Amino acid sequence: PPPPRQGLWRNHRRRDSMPLAAARQDIVPAPPPRAAQPALNAIGWTAQNQSPRHTPRRVRRLIPSYFAGAVMTIDDFEQQPRGPYLFNFWHARQRVQTPFGEFVVEAHMTLEDTAPPDPEMVRQANELAEFTRQRHDAILEKIYEHYQIASKQPDWMEMCEMPVGLPADQLAPYLDGLSLVVDREGSEPTIYIVPRWDPEHAIYLAVRDGRVEFQDL
């Protein structure tokens, strides 16, 4: 497959930039049929209570790390090279599949903080990942709303080499970065999208009371 494209993550508190792994094009096996719908939690959904530690070790090795329905643990996060950036970040091995692309799960912390994500961060990441899997349509609606606003500036869209008048289900090729972000310092968990029509500012979404809303930066 082609190498992943790079976008930019701009932390609205520190205004720093960091590399964002874009949606990969790997073909992964479809998840098995889901059990009964889980109960709602603080952000509107809860991860399935199926921890890998309850899976026999011999069987666990046969489960791909990118399995779409896997519940993340601290051990699933890997620290990424910091490079020139002024903070540390970790990626989960699992990816979150949606019809419009694959989300990378990221955990952010300060430059002085080299510890792995803590249990609260992992809990938030699992909740946000499960919400994304179950309510990807609500996320796409917000992306489409952002696209429609940008389409009112045809000169800008032409400069970005973006066609106008697309339906929501045709935006996937123009989303250069998809990420689910949690932060040790307590910032609101964020659904972060880098669209081709606004790569500098990107799209920041949050889940509040089970609804997807634009974040106020």
Side-chain angles (χ1 to χ4, degrees):
R5 294 168 290 183
Q6 294 294 319
L8 288 177
W9 162 263
R10 293 186 181 274
N11 186 294
H12 65 273
R13 292 180 298 100
R14 292 188 287 270
R15 294 295 178 186
D16 297 321
S17 299
M18 68 172 286
L20 171 68
R24 294 171 53 194
Q25 303 301 316
D26 305 69
I27 299 175
V28 301
R34 288 193 169 274
Q37 181 171 297
L40 294 177
N41 62 18
I43 70 167
W45 214 265
T46 183
Q48 296 283 356
N49 187 20
Q50 298 172 352
S51 172
R53 68 175 179 270
H54 298 306
T55 305
R57 185 180 301 275
R58 184 169 56 185
V59 176
R60 197 183 312 165
R61 287 198 297 267
L62 303 178
I63 301 176
S65 61
Y66 50 75
F67 173 57
V71 174
M72 294 169 285
T73 68
I74 292 175
D75 293 337
D76 289 319
F77 284 82
E78 298 176 334
Q79 189 169 15
Q80 303 301 302
R82 182 173 58 82
Y85 305 103
L86 301 179
F87 45 89
N88 294 309
F89 56 101
W90 298 58
H91 284 175
R93 286 191 288 267
Q94 291 92 337
R95 299 294 186 263
V96 178
Q97 296 290 329
T98 71
F100 53 89
E102 185 181 73
F103 280 82
V104 175
V105 181
E106 300 185 7
H108 292 187
M109 51 280 296
T110 62
L111 177 61
E112 298 78 16
D113 187 351
T114 58
D118 56 54
E120 175 61 17
M121 296 175 73
V122 175
R123 183 191 66 79
Q124 291 180 353
N126 274 312
E127 289 185 356
L128 193 58
E130 185 66 12
F131 182 93
T132 300
R133 282 189 284 263
Q134 298 291 338
R135 297 292 308 281
H136 52 77
D137 55 338
I139 297 172
L140 184 57
E141 285 178 6
K142 284 298 184 183
I143 296 173
Y144 187 56
E145 181 180 340
H146 192 279
Y147 166 77
Q148 289 180 306
I149 294 173
S151 295
K152 295 178 181 179
Q153 304 178 55
D155 292 342
W156 171 260
M157 296 295 275
E158 182 178 359
M159 185 173 65
C160 295
E161 300 181 350
M162 272 299 305
V164 297
L166 294 175
D169 60 4
Q170 293 183 18
L171 292 180
Y174 306 101
L175 303 178
D176 294 335
L178 300 170
S179 190
L180 305 176
V181 182
V182 296
D183 192 295
R184 175 111 66 200
E185 294 187 4
S187 294
E188 192 173 31
T190 300
I191 301 169
Y192 177 71
I193 300 103
V194 181
R196 190 82 52 87
W197 59 88
D198 195 0
E200 181 178 357
H201 301 101
I203 302 172
Y204 296 78
L205 302 174
V207 180
R208 297 164 181 159
D209 297 324
R211 299 189 304 270
V212 181
E213 299 178 0
F214 289 108
Q215 280 187 335
D216 298 324
L217 302 183

